[in-house]
Amino acid sequence: MATAHPGNEPNPGMIFETLLAFQRTAALRAAIELDVFRAIGEGPGDVASLAKHCSASERGIRILCDYLTVIGLLTKEGERYHHTATSGLFLDPRSPACVASISRFLGNPAMTEPVQHLADIVRTGHTTLHGQGSVEPENPVWVDFAHSMAPMMAPMTAPLGQIVLEGLAGPVRVLDIAAGHGLFGIEVAKQHPQAHIVAVDWAPVLEVAKANAHKAGVGARYHALPGSAFDVDFGEAYDIVLLTNFLHHFDHAACVGLLRKVHAALKPGGRAAALEFVPNEDRVSPPMPAMFSMSMLTTTASGDAYTFRELEAMYREAGFGRITAHPVRTGPHTVVMGIAG
Amino acid sequence: MATAHPGNEPNPGMIFETLLAFQRTAALRAAIELDVFRAIGEGPGDVASLAKHCSASERGIRILCDYLTVIGLLTKEGERYHHTATSGLFLDPRSPACVASISRFLGNPAMTEPVQHLADIVRTGHTTLHGQGSVEPENPVWVDFAHSMAPMMAPMTAPLGQIVLEGLAGPVRVLDIAAGHGLFGIEVAKQHPQAHIVAVDWAPVLEVAKANAHKAGVGARYHALPGSAFDVDFGEAYDIVLLTNFLHHFDHAACVGLLRKVHAALKPGGRAAALEFVPNEDRVSPPMPAMFSMSMLTTTASGDAYTFRELEAMYREAGFGRITAHPVRTGPHTVVMGIAG
């Protein structure tokens, strides 16, 4: 029959579990919404007290918490549920590292609805969303992104700041394109007291970034430049341009066009740094960057998770040299940096 | 912060991946719908030929097949995709063991839609579906089940037949409750030439079972008894009653009531055999039976994946003795059998 490729034993359970994997997403989203992870952290963790804390039924809580235990997001001892290392640090709202808010952005209908039409999307090759999809002008989803994805990105800001600032002294002008929550530019301002940040994004998104800059004490060196990165006048003589989580929304030609514009805004020797999910050249590893292209297929017209070789080619076509990759140890992302020739 | 339980390292990627796990389901469903697995089996497996076979875009096919590779349902060598042992045997329509049709039942809106309201379901403790949920009288979902889930159940029919027939000789009367596709009763008829099967289910479902019985050459010993298992008159003096994938839809009291009715229909010493997802007493292992309770939470008013101890208690209350568990090696199910006292 069908030529089986050498590998593991055939496993029909894997098919069953994949066809029900949508329950995993639903279980985690429901647990976050019901405040289960705070209740677990506060203890004692039995079904009756959890149900009370969450204003929920005991049957529902028991089945939900058993399910979360099976998928590795809780543990169970006797009749009591406890945090795993992951849920305690990243899902309990009492933890400063809590990333539960990302459930809101990743569960936003603009992100999830197109996936329901995946066969159609594979047929046509682009999102069922209107026009450019999630990157249509002024899409309100990015205000949500700015609010809810910040905790996921926070651990990556310090490494990015160190990479882009390495060896720089004196006044530094930084352009932060598609600033979103603003955390990357803000971190550069925190690491370098003579850095001034110009942040580009849609005006309502920049309100979030400005508020974060003021909270971080760098508001005086933080300047908003509202508009589309493709249309707005960047100004010039920047030392650093940040392009965080941005290029993956567009095709090769659009990325090259934008990188040319970035190149023109940099001083000679200036640095353009993209933070991206960068899969290996095989495009199927490591898992997180490789799987990210599915999000780009479903929500954009022509975006992708680009390999280093593809990003390098874009930079080169736009006039950059000395293009290097810097994997970020604190997250699944890679910084790809080019120097303006 | 929150007391972390001893365990693995904290892993925020796990949260990200769980919140996007619904993409796994969508990817497999889309690949089945687009006939990707047949195209992979026929080769050569490059993006251009796959896209042509599936009448789809190359961008869409590449991203879909890369994604299926990451989640272990394809392999990739250079620019070509190949079957894994699992996809070749269970997803290629050219394979007699193909189970791809289960995508239809597991993706049926009656099964998937309630999961979108999981937080509400956990609050109230029962499905958002009307009344008894998926087991409301004459729910057309069971015709779909009968057609599409048969390949998943097929490997378990032979072991079930052996278990229930062990040591029996001469004429055997078998009642197959909630027969569905009918495969279990049909297999008993095939294994035992003097077995006569009476199959209970909704009339339109029994049409599927009768057709399967005729195809299997046992039509003359196959008798349809349409109606609800709770209301229909079973008749009496059965040697064996099969209750496959049925008890989990109902609460303890309803199960005991039904088992009493089953007991009354059996000869003294007759056998009642339930095929069930039976989790360990901890309710969180093994994964497949333990996770099955989530499907019962979302689609029924009060069903569950019952442990052996719970099933044993039901049997005992209904008058059965010598209650034994027989794990089925060819699937995730267990046969729980009781002898009429």
Side-chain angles (χ1 to χ4, degrees):
Chain A
M1 203 45 263
T3 318
H5 202 76
N8 299 327
E9 286 298 292
N11 175 9
M14 190 176 172
I15 295 164
F16 195 75
E17 286 179 14
T18 302
L19 289 171
L20 294 178
F22 69 99
Q23 292 182 341
R24 293 174 181 246
T25 303
L28 178 50
R29 290 179 59 186
I32 290 170
E33 183 180 337
L34 291 164
D35 206 31
V36 167
F37 295 105
R38 185 195 309 272
I40 295 283
E42 288 178 355
D46 60 292
V47 168
S49 10
L50 293 172
K52 198 173 165 202
H53 175 108
C54 301
S55 305
S57 68
E58 295 196 7
R59 174 178 183 247
I61 286 289
R62 169 180 57 80
I63 292 177
L64 178 63
C65 290
D66 281 341
Y67 188 92
L68 293 168
T69 303
V70 178
I71 66 171
L73 289 174
L74 289 178
T75 62
K76 186 177 185 183
E77 274 178 25
E79 298 299 310
R80 292 192 176 181
Y81 303 93
H82 303 283
H83 274 313
T84 59
T86 297
S87 68
L89 192 56
F90 295 118
L91 290 171
D92 190 327
R94 304 175 312 152
S95 162
C98 183
V99 300
S101 63
I102 69 171
S103 166
R104 216 171 54 220
F105 178 71
L106 297 178
N108 189 303
M111 299 287 124
T112 60
E113 202 278 333
V115 180
Q116 306 310 315
H117 314 286
L118 183 54
D120 288 338
I121 291 174
V122 172
R123 283 190 190 102
T124 62
H126 54 77
T127 183
T128 47
L129 296 171
H130 172 71
Q132 288 296 306
S134 62
V135 284
E136 271 292 289
E138 309 285 353
N139 190 330
V141 78
W142 299 112
V143 178
D144 199 15
F145 176 89
H147 281 295
S148 65
M149 291 299 279
M152 187 83 186
M153 296 302 157
M156 289 188 282
T157 57
L160 177 90
Q162 285 151 20
I163 291 164
V164 299
L165 285 167
E166 203 201 339
L168 293 188
V172 165
R173 277 170 50 78
V174 180
L175 180 67
D176 188 358
I177 293 178
H181 38 67
L183 295 197
F184 292 106
I186 291 165
E187 173 67 18
V188 171
K190 283 163 72 182
Q191 288 188 19
H192 192 88
Q194 295 187 63
H196 280 256
I197 318 297
V198 176
V200 175
D201 213 317
W202 307 117
V205 181
L206 286 177
E207 292 306 311
V208 183
K210 281 195 285 185
N212 285 337
H214 282 282
K215 255 187 276 174
V218 300
R221 293 182 282 127
Y222 202 83
H223 317 283
L225 180 54
S228 157
F230 291 94
D231 302 328
V232 78
D233 182 357
F234 289 154
E236 55 177 16
Y238 289 98
D239 299 279
I240 297 168
V241 176
L242 304 179
L243 283 153
T244 56
N245 295 306
F246 193 57
L247 295 179
H248 53 242
H249 296 102
F250 309 100
D251 63 17
H252 177 93
C255 289
V256 171
L258 182 69
L259 286 168
R260 284 210 177 101
K261 193 177 162 191
V262 165
H263 191 278
L266 281 165
K267 289 182 189 160
R271 300 158 180 198
L275 183 80
E276 283 292 334
F277 279 110
V278 182
N280 295 331
E281 298 302 328
D282 66 11
R283 305 195 93 96
V284 293
S285 66
M288 278 183 73
M291 290 166 96
F292 184 70
S293 58
M294 179 57 73
S295 295
M296 292 305 99
L297 174 64
T298 51
T299 64
T300 72
S302 52
D304 213 334
Y306 292 109
T307 68
F308 176 69
R309 230 182 275 166
E310 289 172 324
L311 290 164
E312 193 185 27
M314 294 172 191
Y315 270 89
R316 214 170 283 288
E317 257 181 86
F320 288 90
R322 289 162 55 199
I323 302 141
T324 50
H326 310 256
V328 176
R329 295 218 177 159
T330 48
H333 289 64
T334 299
V335 177
V336 174
M337 193 155 75
I339 308 298
Chain B
M1 202 50 261
T3 318
H5 202 76
N8 298 329
E9 288 297 294
N11 175 10
M14 191 175 170
I15 295 163
F16 194 76
E17 284 178 15
T18 303
L19 289 171
L20 294 179
F22 68 100
Q23 293 182 341
R24 292 174 182 247
T25 303
L28 179 49
R29 290 179 59 188
I32 290 169
E33 183 180 337
L34 292 164
D35 205 31
V36 166
F37 295 105
R38 184 196 308 271
I40 295 282
E42 290 179 351
D46 60 292
V47 168
S49 11
L50 294 171
K52 197 173 164 200
H53 176 107
C54 302
S55 305
S57 68
E58 296 197 6
R59 175 179 183 243
I61 287 290
R62 169 179 56 81
I63 293 177
L64 178 62
C65 290
D66 281 342
Y67 187 92
L68 293 168
T69 303
V70 177
I71 66 172
L73 289 174
L74 289 179
T75 62
K76 186 179 185 182
E77 274 178 25
E79 298 300 312
R80 293 193 175 179
Y81 303 93
H82 304 282
H83 274 313
T84 59
T86 297
S87 68
L89 193 56
F90 296 118
L91 290 171
D92 189 327
R94 304 178 310 153
S95 164
C98 183
V99 300
S101 63
I102 68 172
S103 166
R104 216 170 56 219
F105 178 72
L106 297 177
N108 190 304
M111 299 288 124
T112 60
E113 203 278 334
V115 180
Q116 307 309 315
H117 315 286
L118 183 55
D120 287 338
I121 290 174
V122 173
R123 284 191 189 101
T124 62
H126 53 78
T127 184
T128 47
L129 295 172
H130 172 70
Q132 289 295 308
S134 61
V135 284
E136 272 292 289
E138 309 285 352
N139 190 328
V141 79
W142 299 113
V143 178
D144 199 15
F145 175 89
H147 282 294
S148 64
M149 292 299 279
M152 186 85 186
M153 296 301 158
M156 289 186 284
T157 56
L160 177 91
Q162 285 150 21
I163 292 164
V164 299
L165 285 168
E166 203 200 339
L168 293 189
V172 167
R173 279 171 47 80
V174 181
L175 179 67
D176 187 359
I177 294 179
H181 37 69
L183 295 196
F184 292 107
I186 291 165
E187 173 67 19
V188 171
K190 281 163 73 182
Q191 287 187 20
H192 193 87
Q194 295 187 61
H196 280 255
I197 317 298
V198 175
V200 175
D201 212 318
W202 307 116
V205 181
L206 286 178
E207 292 306 311
V208 182
K210 281 195 285 184
N212 285 336
H214 282 281
K215 253 186 278 175
V218 300
R221 292 182 283 128
Y222 202 82
H223 317 282
L225 181 54
S228 157
F230 292 93
D231 303 327
V232 79
D233 181 358
F234 291 153
E236 55 179 17
Y238 289 98
D239 300 278
I240 298 169
V241 176
L242 304 179
L243 284 154
T244 55
N245 295 305
F246 192 58
L247 295 178
H248 53 241
H249 296 103
F250 310 100
D251 63 18
H252 177 92
C255 289
V256 171
L258 182 68
L259 285 168
R260 283 211 178 100
K261 193 177 162 192
V262 165
H263 191 278
L266 280 164
K267 289 182 189 160
R271 301 157 180 198
L275 183 79
E276 283 292 334
F277 278 110
V278 182
N280 295 329
E281 299 302 328
D282 65 12
R283 305 194 92 96
V284 293
S285 65
M288 278 183 74
M291 291 166 99
F292 184 71
S293 58
M294 178 58 72
S295 295
M296 292 305 98
L297 174 64
T298 51
T299 63
T300 72
S302 54
D304 215 334
Y306 292 110
T307 68
F308 176 70
R309 229 181 275 165
E310 290 171 325
L311 290 165
E312 192 185 27
M314 294 171 191
Y315 271 90
R316 214 171 284 287
E317 259 181 85
F320 288 90
R322 289 165 53 204
I323 301 142
T324 49
H326 310 257
V328 177
R329 293 214 179 161
T330 48
H333 289 65
T334 299
V335 177
V336 174
M337 194 155 75
I339 309 297

